Amino acid sequence: MTSPSGDLTLTLIGGPTVLIETDGLRLVTDPTFDPPRLYQTAPVHFEKTVGPAIEAEAVLPLDAVLLSHDQHLDNLDHAGRALLPRAGTVFTTQAGATRLGGENVRALAPFETTTLNVPGKGRLFVTAAPARHGPPGIEPISGDVVGFLLGRDAPGDLIYVTGDTVFYEGVAEVARRFSPRVVIVFAGSAEPRGRFHMTMDANDALETANAFPDATLVAAHTDGWVHFKESAAELAAAFATLGIADRLVTLEPGRPTGFPA
């Protein structure tokens, strides 16, 4: 697939899955490539309603996967799991790396930084970011999750991928330490277990915009599963209501969007 000119290109594939292209490097967030299907109804209702805008084969070759967590089907479905061995490196949580195994799987703890250096391509700093997958105390139920920061000249100066998190002190700490140009917000106000959300709702996304005043926000994880309760259009409407519509970019699935310096 071809991309528009620019030093950073993002393509929404569906749900939390975004193809990131920069300096010749290709990365994908939380790979979900299954067609629509019902996986289970209990104890958590996982039902996918929209397939990927781009098939898995079309994103190859992949230099890295940024996997916020491996234990939920809306962040790593069957086709996404099959893709992992074909990526250069899979960055994920410490618990996830243990479960997944594989020589290409690399665990990162929050605020740990490593370097992705692919011969003949570019170099990126990869930093894990803290995340909380819902209200306080949710971790024993939902399991660990991380976000990621990508940096070109310094850690975190390019992109912050929130991963599945709400806005909380961990996200605020990321804002104090780093100044990314783009923040990919996993929104959708996901409610797979009850009337509490495990990803950002509009209020959380607005808090994130305030915490990163110089960044462009990009919406992901908003559509395609029954437990996503707030669409990309509804999120955009919230930003427009407060007069900051220009802070949020809503990607069209399958269409590469360039973010020039």
Side-chain angles (χ1 to χ4, degrees):
M1 58 185 295
T2 59
S3 304
S5 61
D7 67 342
L8 172 64
T9 299
L10 302 180
T11 307
L12 177 64
I13 295 171
T17 311
V18 178
L19 176 65
I20 301 170
E21 299 173 271
T22 182
D23 287 347
L25 293 166
R26 294 165 62 86
L27 307 88
V28 74
T29 63
D30 290 6
T32 54
F33 289 93
D34 284 354
R37 60 174 291 183
L38 172 64
Y39 296 91
Q40 62 184 50
T41 57
V44 177
H45 187 170
F46 281 120
E47 183 175 352
K48 191 173 187 179
T49 59
V50 179
I54 300 170
E55 296 301 320
E57 289 292 328
V59 304
L60 296 171
L62 276 178
D63 298 296
V65 171
L66 306 177
L67 179 59
S68 68
H69 60 301
D70 68 302
Q71 64 268 29
H72 292 150
L73 285 159
D74 60 320
N75 296 86
L76 182 66
D77 61 16
H78 300 316
R81 189 175 292 268
L83 184 68
L84 298 184
R86 305 177 70 181
T89 306
V90 177
F91 298 103
T92 192
T93 64
Q94 293 173 310
T98 298
R99 286 188 292 263
L100 291 170
E103 295 182 355
N104 67 334
V105 179
R106 169 73 187 273
L108 288 178
F111 295 122
E112 180 182 357
T113 296
T114 189
T115 302
L116 175 67
N117 198 341
V118 180
K121 297 186 178 182
R123 180 203 68 179
L124 286 175
F125 297 106
V126 181
T127 304
R132 195 184 74 203
H133 202 355
I138 193 65
E139 285 84 355
I141 299 174
S142 68
D144 293 340
V145 61
V146 294
F148 295 96
L149 293 127
L150 300 178
R152 180 175 292 141
D153 298 317
D157 67 2
L158 184 60
I159 301 176
Y160 169 35
V161 182
T162 68
D164 276 17
T165 188
V166 295
F167 188 89
Y168 78 116
E169 58 270 18
V171 177
E173 182 62 23
V174 172
R176 285 189 287 269
R177 296 192 187 197
F178 302 97
S179 298
R181 285 170 41 201
V182 174
V183 177
I184 300 177
V185 180
F186 281 24
S189 191
E191 296 182 7
R193 294 181 179 272
R195 290 315 314 269
F196 54 87
H197 57 276
M198 298 180 69
T199 57
M200 292 192 183
D201 64 3
N203 284 355
D204 290 315
L206 290 164
E207 290 274 15
T208 301
N210 183 66
F212 296 89
D214 298 322
T216 298
L217 272 67
V218 174
H221 197 285
T222 57
D223 300 274
W225 294 75
V226 296
H227 60 282
F228 293 178
K229 301 303 182 183
E230 196 172 71
S231 69
E234 290 169 324
L235 181 62
F239 274 68
T241 297
L242 294 187
I244 57 170
D246 59 330
R247 294 291 314 280
L248 179 71
V249 173
T250 302
L251 301 177
E252 179 182 338
R255 180 178 180 180
T257 299
F259 293 80

